[in-house]
Amino acid sequence: MKKVKLAILTFTVVMIACTSFYYVKMKRTASTTPPDGIPYIIILGAKVEGETLSKVLKNRADAALSYWNNNKQSKIIVSGGKGAGENISEAAALKNYLLEKKVPEEMILMEDTSTSTIENLQNSKDIYDIKEAIIATSDFHLYRAITISEKIGIRAYPLAAKTPNSVKVSLTLREFLAIGKMKVLGY
């Protein structure tokens, strides 16, 4: 019985230590300000409700717009395929939103087939030969997105979008699981 209790205690301590370690990494990455003059901004996809951006996706688009307004030479890559309950791809919804915000169409590039973060980034890199980019995504998601970007050969700079309080806990917990998966699978 003592061995079982010790194993449970050890597992708990290791999980708390790992979670704390990655929480600090997530916070540090999200607090970084990207430099000006980066040629591409990649907005990572998130849920679309019909044809409307979810609050999470709108916040990502608004963060990218804020950067782009001071760096209008940067091309914006909108990414994300069409998932269940979505009438259009995440990329198409993002493009429509950016056009409404007066971003010229020639400044918007699309990657509309991806279904995951790694596909968002790999497809964008492959289609547009990306070497360096701003990665615009939710604050909780930036650490993993930057890690993946660098592993596939993109020099990446984080641009944090605020996560709505209504989904912050659930998405952050889900992200810890995704980080664990990334570490186990090596990407």
Side-chain angles (χ1 to χ4, degrees), residues 37-79:
I38 304 305
Y40 295 97
I41 306 163
I42 301 173
I43 306 174
L44 297 181
K47 184 77 176 148
V48 170
E49 296 156 356
E51 295 185 15
T52 305
L53 304 181
S54 64
K55 183 72 172 157
V56 168
L57 192 53
K58 181 183 178 303
N59 287 357
R60 292 176 185 188
D62 288 341
L65 274 170
S66 178
Y67 180 86
W68 183 79
N69 281 326
N70 295 315
N71 294 276
K72 292 195 175 183
Q73 79 287 352
S74 300
K75 300 265 186 176
I76 302 172
I77 300 173
V78 293
S79 69

Side-chain angles (χ1 to χ4, degrees), residues 5-164:
K5 285 183 180 180
L6 181 60
I8 291 170
L9 178 61
T10 301
F11 176 77
T12 303
V13 168
V14 169
M15 290 308 294
I16 290 170
C18 286
T19 302
S20 298
F21 176 78
Y22 286 111
Y23 182 76
V24 169
K25 286 194 167 280
M26 290 163 69
K27 286 298 205 182
R28 282 188 182 153
T29 303
S31 68
T32 303
T33 302
D36 287 331
I38 304 305
Y40 295 97
I41 306 163
I42 301 173
I43 306 174
L44 297 181
K47 184 77 176 148
V48 170
E49 296 156 356
E51 295 185 15
T52 305
L53 304 181
S54 64
K55 183 72 172 157
V56 168
L57 192 53
K58 181 183 178 303
N59 287 357
R60 292 176 185 188
D62 288 341
L65 274 170
S66 178
Y67 180 86
W68 183 79
N69 281 326
N70 295 315
N71 294 276
K72 292 195 175 183
Q73 79 287 352
S74 300
K75 300 265 186 176
I76 302 172
I77 300 173
V78 293
S79 69
K82 181 177 174 288
E86 298 176 336
N87 296 339
I88 60 175
S89 70
E90 296 160 6
L94 282 165
K95 181 177 181 178
N96 292 342
Y97 181 76
L98 295 176
L99 290 171
E100 288 173 13
K101 297 295 182 181
K102 309 296 184 218
V103 176
E105 189 165 7
E106 65 271 11
M107 298 307 290
I108 304 169
L109 306 174
M110 287 187 58
E111 181 289 302
D112 62 357
T113 61
S114 58
T115 60
S116 67
T117 301
I118 193 163
E119 287 180 8
N120 288 146
L121 295 164
Q122 187 68 60
N123 293 350
S124 295
K125 179 184 187 285
D126 292 347
I127 295 167
Y128 300 108
D129 193 31
I130 305 299
K131 307 257 188 288
E132 182 178 43
I134 300 293
I135 308 299
T137 191
S138 303
D139 48 14
F140 72 87
H141 188 230
L142 269 169
Y143 167 72
R144 186 165 59 97
I146 295 297
T147 301
I148 292 169
S149 296
E150 291 174 350
K151 285 192 180 212
I152 65 170
I154 298 173
R155 183 170 183 189
Y157 304 93
L159 179 61
K162 186 171 172 28
T163 302

